[in-house]
Structures are given as C-alpha cells and as structure tokens.
Coordinates of all heavy atoms in Angstrom, one line a residue:
M1 N 92.5 71.1 9.3 CA 91.9 70.1 8.3 C 90.5 70.5 8.1 O 89.8 70.9 9.0 CB 92.0 68.7 8.9 CG 93.4 68.1 8.8 SD 93.3 66.4 9.1 CE 94.7 66.3 10.2
R2 N 90.0 70.2 6.9 CA 88.6 70.4 6.6 C 88.2 69.3 5.6 O 88.9 68.9 4.7 CB 88.5 71.8 6.0 CG 87.0 72.1 5.6 CD 86.7 73.5 5.2 NE 87.8 74.1 4.4 CZ 87.8 75.4 4.2 NH1 86.9 76.2 4.6 NH2 88.8 75.9 3.5
A3 N 87.0 68.8 5.8 CA 86.4 67.8 5.0 C 85.0 68.3 4.5 O 84.2 68.7 5.3 CB 86.2 66.5 5.7
T4 N 84.8 68.4 3.2 CA 83.6 68.9 2.6 C 83.0 67.9 1.6 O 83.7 67.4 0.7 CB 83.9 70.2 1.8 OG1 84.6 71.1 2.6 CG2 82.7 70.8 1.3
P5 N 81.8 67.5 1.8 CA 81.2 66.5 0.9 C 81.0 67.1 -0.5 O 80.6 68.2 -0.6 CB 79.8 66.2 1.6 CG 79.6 67.2 2.6 CD 80.9 67.9 2.9
E6 N 81.3 66.3 -1.5 CA 81.1 66.6 -2.9 C 80.4 65.4 -3.5 O 80.2 64.4 -2.9 CB 82.4 66.9 -3.6 CG 83.1 68.1 -3.1 CD 84.3 68.5 -3.9 OE1 84.7 67.6 -4.8 OE2 84.9 69.6 -3.7
S7 N 80.0 65.6 -4.8 CA 79.2 64.5 -5.4 C 80.1 63.3 -5.7 O 79.6 62.1 -5.7 CB 78.7 65.0 -6.8 OG 79.7 65.4 -7.6
G8 N 81.4 63.4 -5.8 CA 82.3 62.3 -6.1 C 83.1 61.8 -5.0 O 84.0 60.9 -5.1
G9 N 82.9 62.3 -3.8 CA 83.7 61.9 -2.6 C 83.8 63.1 -1.6 O 82.9 64.0 -1.6
V10 N 84.8 63.0 -0.7 CA 84.9 64.1 0.3 C 86.2 64.9 0.1 O 87.3 64.3 0.1 CB 84.9 63.5 1.7 CG1 85.1 64.5 2.8 CG2 83.6 62.7 2.0
R11 N 86.0 66.1 -0.3 CA 87.2 67.0 -0.5 C 87.9 67.2 0.9 O 87.2 67.7 1.8 CB 86.9 68.3 -1.1 CG 88.1 69.2 -1.2 CD 87.9 70.3 -2.2 NE 87.6 69.9 -3.6 CZ 88.5 69.4 -4.4 NH1 89.7 69.2 -4.1 NH2 88.1 69.0 -5.6
T12 N 89.1 66.9 1.0 CA 89.8 67.0 2.3 C 91.0 67.9 2.1 O 91.8 67.7 1.2 CB 90.3 65.6 2.7 OG1 89.2 64.7 2.8 CG2 90.9 65.7 4.1
E13 N 91.1 68.9 2.9 CA 92.2 69.9 2.9 C 93.0 69.8 4.2 O 92.4 69.6 5.3 CB 91.6 71.3 2.8 CG 90.8 71.5 1.5 CD 90.0 72.8 1.6 OE1 90.6 73.9 1.9 OE2 88.8 72.8 1.3
I14 N 94.3 69.8 4.0 CA 95.2 69.6 5.2 C 96.2 70.8 5.2 O 96.7 71.2 4.1 CB 95.8 68.2 5.2 CG1 96.7 68.0 6.4 CG2 96.6 68.0 3.9 CD1 97.3 66.6 6.5
E15 N 96.6 71.2 6.4 CA 97.6 72.2 6.5 C 98.5 71.8 7.7 O 98.0 71.4 8.7 CB 97.1 73.6 6.9 CG 96.3 74.3 5.8 CD 95.9 75.7 6.1 OE1 96.1 76.2 7.3 OE2 95.3 76.3 5.3
V16 N 99.8 72.0 7.5 CA 100.8 71.7 8.6 C 101.8 72.8 8.7 O 102.4 73.1 7.7 CB 101.5 70.3 8.4 CG1 102.5 70.1 9.5 CG2 100.5 69.2 8.3
S17 N 101.9 73.4 9.9 CA 102.9 74.4 10.1 C 104.2 73.8 10.6 O 104.2 73.0 11.5 CB 102.4 75.4 11.2 OG 101.2 76.1 10.7
N18 N 105.3 74.2 9.9 CA 106.6 73.7 10.3 C 107.2 74.6 11.4 O 107.6 75.8 11.2 CB 107.6 73.7 9.1 CG 108.9 73.2 9.4 OD1 109.2 72.8 10.6 ND2 109.8 73.2 8.5
T19 N 107.3 74.1 12.6 CA 107.8 74.8 13.8 C 109.3 74.5 14.0 O 109.9 74.9 15.0 CB 107.0 74.5 15.0 OG1 107.0 73.1 15.3 CG2 105.5 75.0 14.8
Y20 N 109.9 73.6 13.2 CA 111.3 73.3 13.3 C 112.2 74.4 12.7 O 111.7 75.2 12.0 CB 111.6 71.9 12.6 CG 110.8 70.8 13.2 CD1 109.7 70.3 12.7 CD2 111.3 70.2 14.4 CE1 109.0 69.2 13.2 CE2 110.6 69.1 15.0 CZ 109.5 68.6 14.4 OH 108.8 67.6 15.0
E21 N 113.4 74.3 13.1 CA 114.4 75.3 12.5 C 114.9 74.9 11.2 O 115.6 75.7 10.5 CB 115.6 75.5 13.5 CG 115.2 76.1 14.8 CD 116.3 76.2 15.8 OE1 117.5 76.0 15.4 OE2 116.1 76.6 16.9
R22 N 114.6 73.8 10.6 CA 115.0 73.3 9.3 C 113.8 72.9 8.5 O 112.7 72.7 9.0 CB 115.9 72.1 9.5 CG 117.2 72.5 10.2 CD 118.2 71.3 10.1 NE 119.5 71.7 10.6 CZ 120.1 71.1 11.5 NH1 119.7 70.0 12.1 NH2 121.3 71.6 11.9
N23 N 114.0 72.7 7.2 CA 112.9 72.2 6.3 C 112.4 70.9 6.9 O 113.2 70.1 7.4 CB 113.4 72.1 4.9 CG 113.6 73.4 4.2 OD1 113.3 74.5 4.8 ND2 114.0 73.3 3.0
A24 N 111.2 70.6 6.6 CA 110.6 69.3 7.1 C 109.6 68.8 6.1 O 109.0 69.5 5.3 CB 109.9 69.5 8.4
T25 N 109.6 67.5 6.0 CA 108.6 66.8 5.2 C 107.6 66.1 6.2 O 108.1 65.5 7.2 CB 109.2 65.7 4.3 OG1 110.0 66.5 3.3 CG2 108.2 64.9 3.5
Y26 N 106.3 66.1 5.9 CA 105.3 65.5 6.8 C 104.6 64.4 6.1 O 104.1 64.6 5.0 CB 104.3 66.6 7.3 CG 105.0 67.7 8.1 CD1 105.6 68.8 7.5 CD2 105.1 67.5 9.5 CE1 106.2 69.8 8.3 CE2 105.7 68.5 10.3 CZ 106.3 69.6 9.7 OH 106.9 70.5 10.5
S27 N 104.5 63.3 6.7 CA 103.7 62.2 6.2 C 102.4 62.1 7.2 O 102.6 61.9 8.4 CB 104.4 60.9 6.3 OG 103.6 59.8 6.1
V28 N 101.3 62.4 6.6 CA 100.1 62.4 7.4 C 99.0 61.5 6.8 O 98.6 61.6 5.7 CB 99.5 63.8 7.5 CG1 98.2 63.9 8.4 CG2 100.5 64.8 7.9
K29 N 98.7 60.4 7.6 CA 97.6 59.5 7.1 C 96.4 59.8 7.8 O 96.3 59.9 9.1 CB 98.0 58.0 7.4 CG 97.0 57.0 6.9 CD 97.4 55.6 7.2 CE 96.3 54.6 6.9 NZ 96.6 53.3 7.4
I30 N 95.3 60.0 7.0 CA 94.0 60.4 7.6 C 92.9 59.4 7.2 O 93.1 58.7 6.2 CB 93.6 61.8 7.3 CG1 93.3 61.9 5.8 CG2 94.6 62.8 7.8 CD1 92.5 63.1 5.5
S31 N 91.9 59.3 7.9 CA 90.7 58.6 7.5 C 89.5 59.5 7.6 O 89.4 60.4 8.5 CB 90.5 57.3 8.3 OG 90.5 57.5 9.6
I32 N 88.6 59.4 6.7 CA 87.3 60.1 6.7 C 86.2 59.1 6.9 O 86.2 58.1 6.3 CB 87.1 60.8 5.4 CG1 88.2 61.8 5.0 CG2 85.7 61.6 5.4 CD1 88.4 63.0 5.9
A33 N 85.3 59.4 7.9 CA 84.2 58.4 8.2 C 82.9 59.1 8.4 O 82.9 60.3 8.7 CB 84.7 57.5 9.3
D34 N 81.9 58.3 8.4 CA 80.5 58.8 8.7 C 80.0 58.3 10.0 O 78.9 58.6 10.4 CB 79.6 58.6 7.6 CG 79.2 57.2 7.3 OD1 79.8 56.3 8.0 OD2 78.4 56.9 6.4
G35 N 80.7 57.3 10.6 CA 80.3 56.7 11.8 C 79.3 55.6 11.6 O 78.7 55.0 12.5
K36 N 79.0 55.2 10.3 CA 78.0 54.2 10.0 C 78.6 53.1 9.1 O 77.9 52.4 8.5 CB 76.8 54.8 9.3 CG 76.1 55.9 10.1 CD 75.1 56.6 9.3 CE 74.5 57.8 10.1 NZ 73.7 58.7 9.3
G37 N 79.9 53.1 8.9 CA 80.6 52.1 8.1 C 81.3 52.7 6.8 O 82.1 52.0 6.3
W38 N 81.0 53.9 6.4 CA 81.7 54.5 5.3 C 83.0 55.0 5.8 O 83.0 55.9 6.6 CB 80.8 55.6 4.7 CG 81.2 56.1 3.3 CD1 80.7 55.8 2.1 CD2 82.3 57.1 3.1 NE1 81.3 56.5 1.1 CE2 82.3 57.3 1.7 CE3 83.2 57.8 3.8 CZ2 83.2 58.2 1.1 CZ3 84.1 58.7 3.2 CH2 84.1 58.8 1.8
T39 N 84.1 54.5 5.3 CA 85.4 55.0 5.7 C 86.4 55.0 4.5 O 86.4 54.0 3.8 CB 86.0 54.1 6.8 OG1 85.1 54.0 7.9 CG2 87.3 54.7 7.3
A40 N 87.1 56.1 4.3 CA 88.1 56.2 3.2 C 89.4 56.7 3.8 O 89.4 57.4 4.9 CB 87.6 57.2 2.2
Y41 N 90.5 56.4 3.2 CA 91.8 56.7 3.7 C 92.6 57.4 2.7 O 92.4 57.2 1.5 CB 92.6 55.4 4.1 CG 91.8 54.5 5.1 CD1 91.0 53.6 4.7 CD2 92.0 54.7 6.5 CE1 90.3 52.8 5.5 CE2 91.3 53.9 7.4 CZ 90.4 53.0 6.9 OH 89.7 52.2 7.8
N42 N 93.6 58.2 3.2 CA 94.6 58.8 2.3 C 95.8 59.2 3.1 O 95.7 59.4 4.3 CB 94.0 60.1 1.6 CG 94.8 60.6 0.4 OD1 95.4 59.8 -0.3 ND2 94.8 61.9 0.2
R43 N 97.0 59.2 2.4 CA 98.2 59.7 3.0 C 98.7 60.9 2.2 O 98.7 60.9 1.0 CB 99.3 58.6 2.9 CG 100.6 59.1 3.6 CD 101.7 58.0 3.6 NE 101.2 56.8 4.3 CZ 101.3 56.6 5.6 NH1 101.8 57.6 6.4 NH2 100.9 55.5 6.2
F44 N 98.9 62.0 2.9 CA 99.4 63.2 2.3 C 100.9 63.3 2.6 O 101.4 62.9 3.7 CB 98.8 64.4 3.0 CG 97.3 64.6 2.6 CD1 96.3 64.0 3.4 CD2 97.0 65.3 1.5 CE1 95.0 64.2 3.0 CE2 95.6 65.4 1.1 CZ 94.6 64.9 1.9
W45 N 101.7 63.7 1.6 CA 103.1 64.0 1.8 C 103.3 65.5 1.5 O 103.2 65.9 0.4 CB 104.0 63.2 0.8 CG 104.0 61.7 1.1 CD1 103.2 60.7 0.7 CD2 105.0 61.1 2.0 NE1 103.6 59.5 1.2 CE2 104.7 59.7 2.1 CE3 106.0 61.6 2.8 CZ2 105.4 58.8 2.8 CZ3 106.7 60.7 3.6 CH2 106.4 59.3 3.6
L46 N 103.6 66.2 2.6 CA 103.9 67.6 2.4 C 105.4 67.8 2.5 O 106.0 67.6 3.5 CB 103.3 68.4 3.6 CG 101.7 68.2 3.7 CD1 101.2 68.8 4.9 CD2 101.1 68.8 2.5
Q47 N 106.0 68.0 1.3 CA 107.5 67.8 1.2 C 108.2 69.2 1.3 O 107.7 70.2 0.7 CB 107.8 67.2 -0.1 CG 107.3 65.8 -0.2 CD 107.7 65.1 -1.5 OE1 107.7 65.6 -2.5 NE2 108.2 63.8 -1.4
D48 N 109.3 69.2 2.0 CA 110.2 70.3 2.0 C 109.5 71.6 2.4 O 109.7 72.7 1.8 CB 110.9 70.6 0.7 CG 111.8 69.4 0.4 OD1 112.5 68.8 1.3 OD2 111.9 69.0 -0.8
V49 N 108.7 71.6 3.5 CA 108.1 72.8 4.1 C 109.1 73.6 4.8 O 109.8 73.1 5.7 CB 106.9 72.4 5.0 CG1 106.3 73.6 5.6 CG2 105.9 71.5 4.3
P50 N 109.4 74.8 4.3 CA 110.4 75.7 5.0 C 110.1 76.0 6.4 O 108.9 76.0 6.8 CB 110.4 76.9 4.1 CG 109.8 76.6 2.8 CD 108.8 75.5 3.2
S51 N 111.1 76.2 7.2 CA 110.9 76.6 8.6 C 110.0 77.8 8.7 O 110.2 78.8 8.0 CB 112.3 76.8 9.2 OG 112.1 77.3 10.6
G52 N 109.1 77.7 9.6 CA 108.2 78.9 9.8 C 107.0 79.0 8.8 O 106.2 79.9 8.9
E53 N 107.0 78.1 7.8 CA 106.0 78.2 6.8 C 104.9 77.1 7.0 O 105.1 76.2 7.9 CB 106.6 78.0 5.4 CG 107.6 79.0 5.0 CD 107.0 80.4 4.7 OE1 105.9 80.4 4.2 OE2 107.6 81.4 5.0
T54 N 103.9 77.1 6.2 CA 102.8 76.1 6.3 C 102.7 75.4 5.0 O 102.6 76.0 3.9 CB 101.5 76.8 6.6 OG1 101.6 77.5 7.9 CG2 100.3 75.8 6.7
G55 N 102.7 74.0 5.0 CA 102.4 73.2 3.9 C 101.0 72.9 3.7 O 100.3 72.7 4.8
R56 N 100.5 72.9 2.5 CA 99.0 72.6 2.3 C 98.9 71.6 1.1 O 99.7 71.6 0.2 CB 98.3 73.9 1.9 CG 98.3 74.9 2.9 CD 97.7 76.3 2.4 NE 97.6 77.3 3.4 CZ 98.6 78.0 3.8 NH1 99.8 77.9 3.3 NH2 98.4 78.9 4.8
D57 N 97.8 70.8 1.2 CA 97.5 69.9 0.2 C 96.0 69.6 0.3 O 95.4 69.8 1.3 CB 98.3 68.6 0.3 CG 98.3 67.8 -1.0 OD1 97.7 68.3 -2.1 OD2 99.0 66.8 -1.1
E58 N 95.4 69.1 -0.8 CA 94.0 68.7 -0.8 C 93.8 67.5 -1.7 O 94.6 67.3 -2.7 CB 93.1 69.8 -1.1 CG 93.3 70.3 -2.5 CD 92.3 71.5 -2.8 OE1 92.4 72.6 -2.2 OE2 91.4 71.3 -3.7
A59 N 92.8 66.8 -1.5 CA 92.4 65.6 -2.4 C 90.9 65.3 -2.1 O 90.4 65.5 -1.0 CB 93.3 64.4 -2.0
V60 N 90.3 64.7 -3.1 CA 89.0 64.1 -3.0 C 89.2 62.7 -2.6 O 89.9 61.9 -3.3 CB 88.2 64.2 -4.2 CG1 86.8 63.5 -4.1 CG2 87.9 65.7 -4.6
I61 N 88.6 62.3 -1.4 CA 88.8 61.0 -0.9 C 87.5 60.2 -0.9 O 86.5 60.7 -0.6 CB 89.3 61.1 0.6 CG1 90.7 61.8 0.6 CG2 89.5 59.7 1.2 CD1 91.2 62.1 2.0
G62 N 87.6 58.9 -1.2 CA 86.4 58.1 -1.3 C 85.7 58.3 -2.6 O 86.1 59.0 -3.5
S63 N 84.5 57.6 -2.7 CA 83.7 57.8 -3.9 C 82.3 57.4 -3.6 O 82.0 56.7 -2.6 CB 84.3 56.9 -5.0 OG 84.0 55.6 -4.8
K64 N 81.4 57.7 -4.5 CA 80.0 57.4 -4.3 C 79.8 55.9 -4.5 O 78.8 55.3 -4.0 CB 79.0 58.2 -5.2 CG 79.3 58.0 -6.6 CD 78.4 59.0 -7.4 CE 78.8 58.9 -8.9 NZ 78.0 59.9 -9.7
D65 N 80.8 55.2 -5.1 CA 80.7 53.7 -5.2 C 80.7 53.0 -3.8 O 80.4 51.9 -3.7 CB 81.8 53.2 -6.1 CG 81.7 53.6 -7.5 OD1 80.6 54.0 -8.0 OD2 82.7 53.7 -8.2
M66 N 81.2 53.8 -2.8 CA 81.3 53.2 -1.5 C 80.0 53.3 -0.7 O 79.9 52.8 0.4 CB 82.4 53.9 -0.7 CG 83.8 53.8 -1.3 SD 85.1 54.9 -0.6 CE 85.0 54.4 1.1
G67 N 79.1 54.0 -1.3 CA 77.8 54.3 -0.6 C 77.6 55.8 -0.6 O 78.4 56.5 -1.1
P68 N 76.5 56.2 0.0 CA 76.2 57.6 0.1 C 77.4 58.4 0.7 O 77.9 58.0 1.8 CB 75.0 57.7 1.0 CG 74.4 56.4 0.9 CD 75.5 55.4 0.7
I69 N 77.8 59.5 0.1 CA 78.8 60.4 0.6 C 78.4 60.9 2.0 O 77.3 61.5 2.1 CB 79.1 61.5 -0.4 CG1 79.5 61.0 -1.8 CG2 80.2 62.4 0.2 CD1 80.7 60.1 -1.8
P70 N 79.2 60.9 3.0 CA 78.9 61.4 4.3 C 78.6 62.9 4.2 O 79.4 63.7 3.6 CB 80.1 61.2 5.2 CG 80.9 60.2 4.5 CD 80.6 60.3 3.0
Q71 N 77.5 63.4 4.7 CA 77.2 64.8 4.7 C 77.8 65.5 5.9 O 77.9 66.7 5.9 CB 75.6 65.0 4.7 CG 75.0 64.4 3.4 CD 75.7 65.0 2.2 OE1 75.6 66.2 2.0 NE2 76.3 64.2 1.3
V72 N 78.1 64.8 7.0 CA 78.9 65.4 8.1 C 80.1 64.5 8.3 O 80.1 63.7 9.3 CB 78.0 65.4 9.4 CG1 78.7 66.1 10.5 CG2 76.7 66.1 9.1
P73 N 81.1 64.6 7.5 CA 82.2 63.7 7.6 C 83.1 64.0 8.8 O 83.2 65.1 9.2 CB 83.0 63.9 6.3 CG 82.5 65.2 5.8 CD 81.2 65.4 6.3
K74 N 83.6 62.9 9.4 CA 84.5 63.1 10.5 C 86.0 62.8 10.0 O 86.2 61.8 9.3 CB 84.1 62.1 11.6 CG 82.8 62.4 12.2 CD 82.3 61.3 13.1 CE 81.0 61.6 13.7 NZ 79.9 61.7 12.8
I75 N 86.9 63.6 10.5 CA 88.3 63.4 10.1 C 89.1 62.8 11.3 O 89.0 63.3 12.4 CB 89.0 64.7 9.7 CG1 88.2 65.4 8.6 CG2 90.4 64.5 9.3 CD1 88.7 66.8 8.4
Y76 N 89.9 61.8 11.0 CA 90.7 61.2 12.0 C 92.2 61.2 11.5 O 92.4 60.8 10.4 CB 90.3 59.7 12.3 CG 88.9 59.6 12.8 CD1 87.9 59.4 11.9 CD2 88.6 59.8 14.1 CE1 86.6 59.3 12.3 CE2 87.3 59.7 14.6 CZ 86.3 59.4 13.7 OH 85.0 59.4 14.1
V77 N 93.1 61.6 12.4 CA 94.5 61.5 12.0 C 95.0 60.2 12.5 O 95.1 59.9 13.7 CB 95.3 62.7 12.6 CG1 96.8 62.5 12.3 CG2 94.8 64.0 12.2
D78 N 95.4 59.3 11.6 CA 95.9 57.9 11.9 C 97.4 57.9 12.2 O 97.8 57.1 13.0 CB 95.5 57.0 10.8 CG 94.0 56.9 10.6 OD1 93.2 57.0 11.6 OD2 93.5 56.9 9.5
E79 N 98.1 58.7 11.4 CA 99.6 58.8 11.6 C 100.0 60.2 11.3 O 99.5 60.8 10.4 CB 100.3 57.9 10.6 CG 100.1 56.4 10.9 CD 100.8 55.5 9.8 OE1 101.7 56.0 9.1 OE2 100.3 54.4 9.7
F80 N 101.0 60.7 12.0 CA 101.6 62.0 11.8 C 103.1 61.9 12.0 O 103.5 61.7 13.2 CB 101.0 63.0 12.7 CG 101.6 64.4 12.5 CD1 101.1 65.2 11.5 CD2 102.6 64.9 13.3 CE1 101.6 66.5 11.3 CE2 103.1 66.1 13.1 CZ 102.7 66.9 12.1
D81 N 103.9 61.9 10.9 CA 105.3 61.7 11.0 C 106.1 62.9 10.4 O 106.1 63.0 9.2 CB 105.7 60.4 10.4 CG 105.1 59.2 11.0 OD1 105.2 59.1 12.3 OD2 104.6 58.3 10.3
P82 N 106.7 63.7 11.2 CA 107.6 64.8 10.6 C 109.0 64.2 10.4 O 109.5 63.5 11.2 CB 107.6 65.9 11.7 CG 107.3 65.1 13.0 CD 106.5 63.9 12.6
L83 N 109.5 64.6 9.2 CA 110.9 64.2 8.9 C 111.7 65.4 8.7 O 111.5 66.1 7.7 CB 110.9 63.3 7.6 CG 109.9 62.1 7.6 CD1 109.7 61.6 6.2 CD2 110.4 61.1 8.6
V84 N 112.6 65.8 9.6 CA 113.3 67.1 9.6 C 114.6 66.9 8.9 O 115.3 65.9 9.2 CB 113.5 67.6 11.0 CG1 114.2 68.9 11.0 CG2 112.1 67.7 11.7
D85 N 114.9 67.8 8.0 CA 116.2 67.8 7.3 C 117.4 67.8 8.3 O 117.3 68.5 9.3 CB 116.4 69.0 6.4 CG 115.5 68.9 5.1 OD1 115.0 67.8 4.9 OD2 115.5 69.9 4.4
Q86 N 118.4 67.1 8.0 CA 119.6 67.0 8.9 C 120.7 67.9 8.5 O 121.7 68.0 9.2 CB 120.1 65.5 8.9 CG 119.1 64.5 9.4 CD 118.7 64.8 10.9 OE1 119.6 65.0 11.7 NE2 117.4 64.8 11.1
K87 N 120.5 68.7 7.4 CA 121.6 69.6 7.0 C 121.6 70.8 7.8 O 120.7 71.3 8.3 CB 121.3 70.0 5.5 CG 121.3 68.9 4.6 CD 121.0 69.3 3.2 CE 120.9 68.2 2.2 NZ 120.5 68.6 0.9

C-alpha cells in the first residue's frame, strides 16, 4: 500500500497477491489519518483475482474540505476479507 498527498486528497494505492489455488475477491477497508484528527475511509473490492496473480486498485481518499491534507499520511487496514471461489 502507498499513500501520497495530493491537492484534492490522499492518493491511495493497494495491491493484494492471491496465494489461493482458486480465484479470489478481496474486500479491504482502510483508513488514512494524520494522527491529529484528519481521518478518511475507503473500501476496495479487488474482484476475481486469479490464483498466483496480484490485484491492484487506487483511489483519492478524503478532501481538502476535511482540513489540510496530511503530508505524512498513515495507512491502517481496518478489515481484510478474502472470498475464495468455491468452483
């Protein structure tokens, strides 16, 4: 994971490697914070990641309306749920 401050929020990039023998979908809820009260949340759905492959997604989280964008954002994984295909 990587969090990069931008003018409109924090660009957050996520990668998950599928180590299962079947395709998997990952639900990952993260929060980005500055340790001073600025906190933004997002849930990523990495769908149908093939076995042995890596799923990737990115999003800009939060906004300047929440206050100054964190210049050293911290990433927290709040939930991580793999859903493995049963086929």
Side-chain angles (χ1 to χ4, degrees):
M1 283 192 226
R2 181 171 34 191
T4 307
E6 293 186 350
S7 61
V10 177
R11 176 162 303 283
T12 306
E13 301 170 45
I14 182 172
E15 292 186 358
V16 177
S17 296
N18 182 1
T19 58
Y20 296 100
E21 294 180 7
R22 297 190 170 126
N23 288 359
T25 295
Y26 296 89
S27 169
V28 184
K29 181 180 175 189
I30 64 160
S31 53
I32 304 292
D34 66 356
K36 302 173 189 169
W38 192 101
T39 305
Y41 304 90
N42 195 31
R43 181 177 301 276
F44 290 92
W45 287 93
L46 303 171
Q47 296 182 318
D48 297 322
V49 179
S51 177
E53 299 288 327
T54 300
R56 294 175 178 82
D57 200 1
E58 65 179 66
V60 175
I61 300 174
S63 71
K64 59 185 176 185
D65 295 338
M66 298 170 58
I69 303 298
Q71 295 306 297
V72 183
K74 296 172 180 59
I75 304 173
Y76 300 93
V77 177
D78 301 319
E79 294 176 21
F80 180 82
D81 296 313
L83 308 166
V84 182
D85 285 352
Q86 298 299 311
K87 297 179 186 177

